[in-house]
Amino acid sequence: MVDNYPNFGPEEIRSYLKVTGWAPVSGGDVAELWSLPGPADEVVLVPMKPGAPDFAKRTRILLQDLARVECEEIQSVHDAIATVYHDVTALRASHPSLSDGSIPLESGYELFVSAKRLRVASAAATIRRQGHFRNFPTRARDQAREVRLGQTRRGSYIVPIISQARSPEDVYSPHQDHIDVQVEETLFDRRVTATMSRALAVLEEMAGAEREPTRSEINDSIGEGVSYELCQALTKVVNTESVSALDVSFNWSRVAAPPPGAPARVEFNGDAIDVVDRVSEQLKTKVYTSEHVIYGVVTDLSRHPEDDTGRVGVQTLIQRRSRTVWMDLPGSDYHVAVRCHDAGIPVRVRGTLTSPPGGHARMSVADFGPDPSLGADDVLGH
């Protein structure tokens, strides 16, 4: 049953209508009319004043109209609008004996705790690629306080994690000369979700292979966000009584392009967890193997026509403060930096960061490119 008062406003409604094919026809400050092209010539009224006495009533009528047109439940349409700027990661614990939508207390506890562990481990890997974190970065620990949990859902036992994908405003424009701290804080949530999806996909692939993962493959998985802590978060759920498998599905925001190649769903049963356990044992020794990851916009470019490398400045957040990190890039990466700068596309850079107090921050780069968590690879045609 939808609450009496909706937990979204006109911006969410308008964004949802836009991405589902509707277009504004007319309107003003109080209300707008939107139409859906097609033989039925559907028209809906969008209330524009959240403080108006009839806002909730008009919104309920709108939800009824959309549910009829889309042949969906009203609650489903309500939830889709409410999370239009959010990604929803659903963790589902399953077992053949779970037939009534309930779960044993101990298993449910581990599922909720593992939701936190998965999120924090993914946030840590978004900041620094490391096989084993003895101490999580403060920014990673903050994730557990910043994301939200939705209502548990039936279907074995499902816990949804709700995280921001982007803000209603456009993110960046071409030739951007600085980052927006608030935008970067918002984008961090999407980057964490993208890291989690990629890392879990790599783990699922290794667990499903016909042979044991090699040491080289496990080392490479660190670069994709896999860590000892991520593996342990999975293990603790599946190894509890009355849970035979855990699957994680990713429902990406409709207003932010999903990361290229991101899985819609991954699953880990008992056999897969046996492999994950063996991977985690090797990762436990990788505490000193680490690379930093920064995200930001290219603000400075300089290269002599005869040089093979160019100097690039990327403005980013370091400990939640704006800093410019300088790096030397070979020709191919330098051209990518130019294109990202010209198009206003954020970048992701992985490598060794030195950031002395009061001095210039520099990075020895291992990987440079458009930020894949924002679908930027598709924008540049990668």
Side-chain angles (χ1 to χ4, degrees), residues 312-377:
V312 173
V314 174
Q315 197 171 107
T316 185
L317 291 186
I318 298 178
Q319 296 182 343
R320 292 188 158 178
R321 293 185 178 182
S322 176
R323 292 283 301 274
T324 297
V325 177
W326 297 94
M327 58 201 71
D328 295 321
L329 297 179
S332 58
D333 284 346
Y334 184 82
H335 288 305
V336 172
V338 172
R339 294 170 66 190
C340 288
H341 173 263
D342 292 348
I345 295 173
V347 296
R348 182 187 71 180
V349 193
R350 180 164 53 89
T352 304
L353 176 67
T354 55
S355 180
H360 292 296
R362 294 191 58 83
M363 178 169 267
S364 176
V365 177
D367 183 68
F368 180 95
D371 182 356
S373 61
L374 308 180
D377 278 346

Side-chain angles (χ1 to χ4, degrees), residues 79-274:
D79 293 348
I81 297 175
T83 58
V84 72
Y85 295 128
H86 295 78
D87 298 319
V88 181
T89 306
L91 278 66
R92 183 174 75 103
S94 61
H95 191 279
S97 66
L98 301 180
S99 59
D100 62 352
S102 68
I103 193 171
L105 178 61
E106 181 66 21
S107 300
Y109 169 78
E110 285 296 344
L111 182 61
F112 277 93
V113 172
S114 286
K116 174 182 176 180
R117 290 172 178 147
L118 283 171
R119 196 72 198 180
V120 175
S122 299
T126 302
I127 299 167
R128 192 168 66 241
R129 298 296 201 252
Q130 193 164 304
H132 177 27
F133 294 87
R134 285 188 176 150
N135 294 296
F136 285 125
T138 301
R139 184 71 181 93
R141 293 196 301 269
D142 288 344
Q143 265 291 292
R145 293 189 288 269
E146 294 172 1
V147 297
R148 293 152 40 208
L149 278 179
Q151 293 288 335
T152 54
R153 301 172 185 167
R154 295 182 69 87
S156 294
Y157 198 82
I158 300 174
V159 174
I161 304 172
I162 303 172
S163 57
Q164 288 185 293
R166 55 157 288 182
S167 61
E169 297 80 19
D170 289 334
V171 179
Y172 287 125
S173 57
H175 303 282
Q176 186 81 20
D177 60 0
H178 66 280
I179 60 170
D180 184 308
V181 173
Q182 187 58 47
V183 168
E184 287 300 308
E185 291 284 5
T186 300
L187 292 179
F188 184 73
D189 277 1
R190 159 51 76 94
R191 288 162 175 156
V192 172
T193 308
T195 299
M196 182 192 297
S197 71
R198 179 58 186 158
L200 291 180
V202 169
L203 268 180
E204 183 188 50
E205 183 178 349
M206 287 195 293
E210 295 181 355
R211 55 172 177 77
E212 284 288 302
T214 65
R215 185 175 296 274
S216 175
E217 289 170 337
I218 293 174
N219 288 338
D220 289 345
S221 76
I222 297 173
E224 302 291 350
V226 176
S227 67
Y228 169 80
E229 288 74 16
L230 188 85
C231 294
Q232 288 297 296
L234 297 173
T235 298
K236 288 182 181 296
V237 176
V238 180
N239 283 347
T240 58
E241 187 178 355
S242 300
V243 174
S244 62
L246 173 73
D247 68 68
V248 183
S249 60
F250 297 92
N251 304 294
W252 303 99
S253 165
R254 298 198 185 194
V255 297
R265 178 178 173 274
V266 293
E267 181 176 356
F268 298 88
N269 57 23
D271 291 338
I273 289 299
D274 287 342

Side-chain angles (χ1 to χ4, degrees), residues 269-309:
N269 57 23
D271 291 338
I273 289 299
D274 287 342
V275 178
V276 172
D277 270 339
R278 293 193 289 275
V279 170
S280 71
E281 281 303 308
Q282 292 199 41
L283 290 173
K284 196 173 183 179
T285 66
K286 302 294 182 184
V287 64
Y288 298 115
T289 303
S290 67
E291 288 182 318
H292 295 86
V293 185
I294 64 170
Y295 304 82
V297 296
V298 176
T299 56
D300 295 270
L301 294 159
S302 63
R303 191 180 78 154
H304 190 277
E306 296 181 2
D307 288 345
D308 293 330
T309 62

